[in-house]
Amino acid sequence: MSEQTLTKAPFNYDVVGSLLRSDKLKQAREDFVAGKIDEIVKNQIQFDETKRIVEKQAEIGLHAVTDGEFNRSWWHLDFLWGLNGVGRYDYHQSYKFKGDKTRTDNAHLVDQVRFNPEHPFFESFKKLNSVVPEGVLAKQTIPSPTMLFRDNRSDNWSEFYDSWEAYLDGLADAYRDTILHFYELGCRYIQLDDTTWAFLISKLNETADQAEEHAKYVQLANDAVRVINASLEQLPEDLTVTTHICRGNFKSTFLFSGGYDVVAEYLGQLHYDGLFLEYDNERAGGFAPLAKIWNGDKDKRIVLGLITSKFPELEDQPTVIERINEAAKYVPLDNLALSTQCGFASTEEGNKLTEQQQWDKLTLVKDIATKVWG
């Protein structure tokens, strides 16, 4: 077994990011909104609950732990709102998940996008890092920069930039500066979560016989590669940056379906150290695209999301091991890893399982990975 397999993030058993908000945390937020407690009390409860779930992740044996995204309501919007030049508004439309729909919050440009040294996530990371046990990495998750040029969030870019390209470059600069500041605060493992590629899978397939419409999504894919790679330029060698390709995760429902075939070429161009890919059911297609996504990069790891975070039933271990071995036909085993397909609470509502069932899922990830990689 190579040293990289054992020690380099992303690890052979890893955590995606969000965790179910505890009842105590939910109650504190309700009490704060109702004026029953002040912000100091609310923040102390949030810190105490974060410390508790950090200790639980370490107890399970995870080499990297997150704050469960306890500092936010949405996986993406809370971060975007914290950037200079991004405002909050009511979109009056919700995301239409299969069988459910979300709140109507959204983000839009109110100026040029710039790094915000006072971004609240920096303070949250410092608190997380202060309670992480020695020998364990604090993993920071943020949305990909691509999330700012989807869902009408940059419709008014021309009010602030001379060209679309200038907007993409400015967005990349803001992200790179943000990532570097996390590094200055001690972060060595950061993940950019991204639903753009699942959206593109759907749209590229839908428009395959509509040349003009199809070209729009091809351009979006190229723009995504451009802004992501520009965001990752000249980062420190000892900083691991991964992405999670999400298909939508809201109260155990989903948004997108389709195999990775139509976006594999673009994913293979991204300068990430690892990609967390959802593979928990037939909606994700087969493993053949992995060869193009991995693209022969011996330093890149593909993290297979074979364990679902949406439902409590535990997967059959031999079946999961068989699927890992099947994936190893396309990517060397040393360059593969295992996780749940997504986090457990991409929004504060959370998926439909209990906290204990969540820990059981993460324990299962570790147990299977230990059998496969030692």
Side-chain angles (χ1 to χ4, degrees), residues 10 14 32 38 48 59 113 118 173 222 227 340 342:
D14 215 314
F32 174 69
D38 61 23
D48 292 342
E59 179 187 320
V113 184
E118 303 301 320
D173 289 343
N222 285 316
V227 75
T340 55
C342 194

Side-chain angles (χ1 to χ4, degrees), residues 110-121:
V110 296
D111 202 339
Q112 291 193 354
V113 184
R114 291 189 175 92
F115 162 68
N116 177 13
E118 303 301 320
H119 198 299
F121 276 35

Side-chain angles (χ1 to χ4, degrees), residues 104-367:
T104 58
D105 295 336
N106 209 340
H108 64 160
L109 301 183
V110 296
D111 202 339
Q112 291 193 354
V113 184
R114 291 189 175 92
F115 162 68
N116 177 13
E118 303 301 320
H119 198 299
F121 276 35
F122 295 139
E123 186 63 29
S124 292
F125 176 78
K126 287 192 288 185
K127 290 181 178 179
L128 168 63
N129 212 24
S130 73
V131 296
V132 170
E134 187 174 351
V136 176
L137 278 180
K139 178 179 180 179
Q140 176 66 47
T141 61
I142 61 175
S144 165
T146 57
M147 300 312 300
L148 256 182
F149 55 85
R150 282 210 25 236
D151 298 320
N152 304 96
R153 294 181 192 126
S154 56
D155 286 357
N156 61 339
W157 65 266
S158 59
E159 295 179 26
F160 311 109
Y161 295 91
D162 294 333
S163 67
W164 176 252
E165 290 72 21
Y167 168 54
L168 295 183
D169 292 343
L171 177 56
D173 289 343
Y175 256 79
R176 188 186 319 106
D177 290 344
T178 300
I179 292 170
L180 285 171
H181 194 59
F182 275 119
Y183 181 86
E184 291 167 359
L185 296 176
C187 182
R188 295 297 179 267
Y189 187 7
I190 193 163
Q191 178 176 292
L192 277 56
D193 296 321
D194 204 341
T195 57
T196 302
W197 300 105
F199 168 79
L200 283 169
I201 288 170
S202 177
K203 291 301 183 181
L204 289 169
N205 282 326
E206 286 176 12
T207 62
D209 58 352
Q210 306 166 41
E212 186 175 345
E213 193 69 12
H214 190 76
K216 294 178 184 178
Y217 297 111
V218 170
Q219 185 60 53
L220 176 58
N222 285 316
D223 287 344
V225 171
R226 170 179 173 158
V227 75
I228 290 169
N229 284 346
S231 300
L232 304 182
E233 285 180 354
Q234 299 178 324
L235 295 180
E237 288 292 327
D238 61 339
L239 174 64
T240 296
V241 186
T242 63
T243 188
H244 170 240
I245 309 302
C246 180
R247 295 168 181 270
N249 187 50
F250 175 69
K251 296 200 290 190
S252 297
T253 62
F254 66 95
L255 275 173
F256 306 113
S257 299
Y260 294 97
D261 311 69
V262 292
V263 297
E265 176 185 353
Y266 305 106
L267 296 180
Q269 298 174 46
L270 299 176
H271 298 164
Y272 286 120
D273 299 303
L275 292 92
F276 286 70
L277 302 179
E278 298 198 357
Y279 266 110
D280 60 326
N281 59 33
E282 66 281 354
R283 286 189 297 111
F287 293 127
L290 292 181
K292 192 173 287 186
I293 296 171
W294 176 60
N295 206 20
D297 186 346
K298 295 181 180 179
D299 295 322
K300 182 185 295 182
R301 181 161 289 158
I302 303 295
V303 187
L304 303 171
L306 296 171
I307 308 297
T308 190
S309 67
K310 296 184 183 295
F311 307 109
E313 293 78 16
L314 294 178
E315 286 78 357
D316 177 66
Q317 291 198 30
T319 300
V320 175
I321 292 172
E322 183 179 338
R323 296 198 71 198
I324 294 171
N325 289 329
E326 183 183 347
K329 297 175 183 177
Y330 304 97
V331 177
L333 191 61
D334 272 4
N335 291 89
L336 293 175
L338 182 65
S339 73
T340 55
Q341 110 287 344
C342 194
F344 292 87
S346 298
T347 67
E348 62 182 319
E349 288 86 352
N351 285 343
K352 297 177 181 178
L353 66 171
T354 66
E355 184 174 301
Q356 184 55 53
Q357 289 166 338
Q358 166 186 266
W359 302 133
D360 291 344
K361 287 280 183 173
L362 290 174
T363 300
L364 178 66
V365 168
K366 182 201 171 184
D367 289 347

Side-chain angles (χ1 to χ4, degrees), residues 27-71:
Q27 187 62 55
R29 288 187 172 168
E30 289 179 13
D31 289 346
F32 174 69
V33 171
K36 296 179 180 179
I37 61 174
D38 61 23
E39 190 170 15
I40 294 174
V41 173
K42 179 194 69 116
N43 288 345
Q44 184 61 50
I45 293 172
Q46 178 178 303
F47 176 75
D48 292 342
E49 287 301 285
T50 300
K51 184 174 184 291
R52 181 181 66 82
I53 58 105
V54 164
E55 291 171 350
K56 183 62 180 180
Q57 291 172 83
E59 179 187 320
I60 288 172
L62 297 176
H63 301 300
V65 301
T66 76
D67 61 4
E69 301 181 1
F70 278 17
N71 64 327

